[in-house]
Amino acid sequence: MNASELLSSGSKILKKNKIETHQLDSELVLSSLLKKQRESLLINLNEEVSKNTINNFERLISRRAHKEPLAYILRSKEFWSKDFFVDKGALIPRPETELLCESVIKLFKNKKIHILDMGTGTGCIILSVLSEIKEAKGIGIDVSKEAIKVAKKNSKKLGLNKRVKFINKSLEDIYGYKFDLIVSNPPYIKTSDIKNLSDDVKRFEPKIALDGGKDGLDVIKKVIYKSNTILNKLGILALEIGYGQYFKVSQILKEKNFEEELLVRDYRDNVRCVLAKFKD
Ligand code: GLN
């Protein structure tokens, strides 16, 4: 069997199982098994594939047909143009989170700062920021042991382990340090909305990384309250928030003596990131 035939058999199975990106996913699975870029696979479609590859391909396609996210199947997700290791212990990095990275990198480029990432997951935010701000150091915390394992793996993979520590801790247990920049993409989905998420997300991604309690603001509040005590006077708190949460988040920030420095909107014009600093 050649690559072209195998790809179309995979795509057909995925299409039957209502995977919208059936063609692309089939190509990504095969290129990953052949350890090739998707582009180079697509210009060599007549290449014969081994029996072993066919078996592995069928196994992975069947996982995707059961709605497992491709990132978990391939154990990797591109974020900030880097390859992050992922497994089901941590949330899969989302492209909109790059907005947060972009804005804090712009603000702090070339500055020697201390960063804290609350609820670091794969470590994608703090590691991307550290990769661009070479003078910076940081700590990533997460209540999930599994997530911390993933983040540590990524810090080694990206050669950043000398500048970052990942600790399995709750944000309530952080004291005695001050930070110049606190970043967080906390769980912000309302508990009652979790059932409406796609199967890919709700059946495979860690609930703890998604569930923000009754109004979705439980963890956001904790992050803001804690930041009030551990952010340096001239520091910045950068938060990713969910759809429609801006108004409430803005009130909570005010109550805790913060003022907004910058708002970042996504392509649908929703405020998705809030950068705040202490009121003068
Ligand atoms: N900080 C990680 C990310 O942005 C994990 C976020 C989370 O678990 N809610 O992907």
Side-chain angles (χ1 to χ4, degrees):
M1 195 186 292
N2 66 25
S4 165
E5 291 158 336
L6 192 57
L7 282 177
S8 62
S9 80
S11 166
K12 226 193 228 158
I13 294 171
L14 295 182
K15 191 173 180 188
K16 234 190 352 222
N17 285 277
K18 305 201 166 52
I19 306 288
E20 270 175 41
T21 48
H22 49 91
Q23 178 73 31
L24 176 65
D25 288 6
S26 180
E27 290 166 6
L28 291 172
V29 167
L30 188 56
S31 42
S32 149
L33 285 173
L34 297 174
K35 300 195 168 49
K36 278 186 176 177
Q37 294 290 332
R38 178 168 156 253
E39 294 70 23
S40 82
L41 168 69
L42 295 180
I43 52 173
N44 288 302
L45 286 172
N46 292 325
E47 183 190 338
E48 284 296 306
V49 276
S50 70
K51 187 80 197 109
N52 193 28
T53 303
I54 297 174
N55 288 340
N56 288 334
F57 180 80
E58 285 169 350
R59 200 167 37 83
L60 300 187
I61 287 292
S62 143
R63 283 169 64 186
R64 184 68 190 114
H66 286 90
K67 304 279 155 68
E68 185 169 346
L70 198 62
Y72 287 153
I73 298 173
L74 304 182
R75 301 191 143 224
S76 112
K77 176 76 186 175
E78 190 184 305
F79 182 88
W80 203 255
S81 303
K82 296 173 201 318
D83 229 347
F84 279 83
F85 169 80
V86 289
D87 69 21
K88 58 183 185 349
L91 194 82
I92 300 166
R94 305 293 203 267
E96 59 267 27
T97 305
E98 292 177 332
L99 294 172
L100 189 153
C101 297
E102 197 184 357
S103 50
V104 299
I105 290 165
K106 258 195 214 141
L107 266 183
F108 288 102
K109 194 89 201 177
N110 302 321
K111 298 236 163 76
K112 191 175 167 188
I113 53 166
H114 241 107
I115 310 171
L116 173 65
D117 182 1
M118 297 197 193
T120 195
T122 55
C124 64
I125 300 178
I126 193 165
L127 291 170
S128 304
V129 173
L130 287 175
S131 76
E132 302 284 344
I133 310 178
K134 311 274 184 237
E135 303 76 8
K137 286 192 173 167
I139 299 177
I141 57 164
D142 205 294
V143 283
S144 156
K145 250 194 207 131
E146 288 74 33
I148 289 296
K149 270 192 215 154
V150 174
K152 281 187 176 163
K153 217 167 171 162
N154 280 320
S155 71
K156 287 205 187 99
K157 195 171 171 201
L158 299 172
L160 292 165
N161 49 323
K162 296 238 157 62
R163 292 199 282 135
V164 65
K165 269 205 185 87
F166 286 109
I167 313 171
N168 177 212
K169 241 186 205 292
S170 151
L171 62 92
E172 275 123 357
D173 300 327
I174 297 283
Y175 40 82
Y177 297 95
K178 290 261 178 179
F179 298 90
D180 308 298
L181 169 64
I182 296 177
V183 292
S184 187
N185 172 22
Y188 50 62
I189 298 177
K190 287 185 192 168
T191 308
S192 59
D193 282 346
I194 300 240
K195 59 176 187 313
N196 307 323
L197 298 173
S198 70
D199 279 347
D200 297 43
V201 179
K202 72 170 174 245
R203 289 189 18 224
F204 292 93
E205 298 204 70
K207 284 261 151 46
I208 193 173
L210 298 166
D211 192 342
K214 198 160 181 263
D215 58 2
L217 296 169
D218 282 9
V219 191
I220 292 185
K221 273 183 199 152
K222 284 187 186 169
V223 169
I224 295 175
Y225 293 176
K226 190 69 195 189
S227 297
N228 176 275
T229 68
I230 59 169
L231 185 67
N232 269 332
K233 244 175 105 189
L234 299 173
I236 290 282
L237 165 63
L239 271 179
E240 179 174 324
I241 60 171
Y243 291 107
Q245 289 178 331
Y246 169 60
F247 185 69
K248 281 198 178 141
V249 171
S250 161
Q251 282 178 323
I252 305 166
L253 283 167
K254 265 189 213 119
E255 278 162 30
K256 285 289 150 188
N257 204 32
F258 285 105
E259 66 183 9
E260 286 151 26
E261 164 81 10
L262 180 76
L263 300 177
V264 188
R265 288 165 205 273
D266 62 16
Y267 65 96
R268 285 189 268 183
D269 216 30
N270 290 296
V271 175
R272 295 308 307 275
C273 280
V274 181
L275 271 61
K277 60 180 182 187
F278 284 121
K279 283 181 204 152
D280 305 319

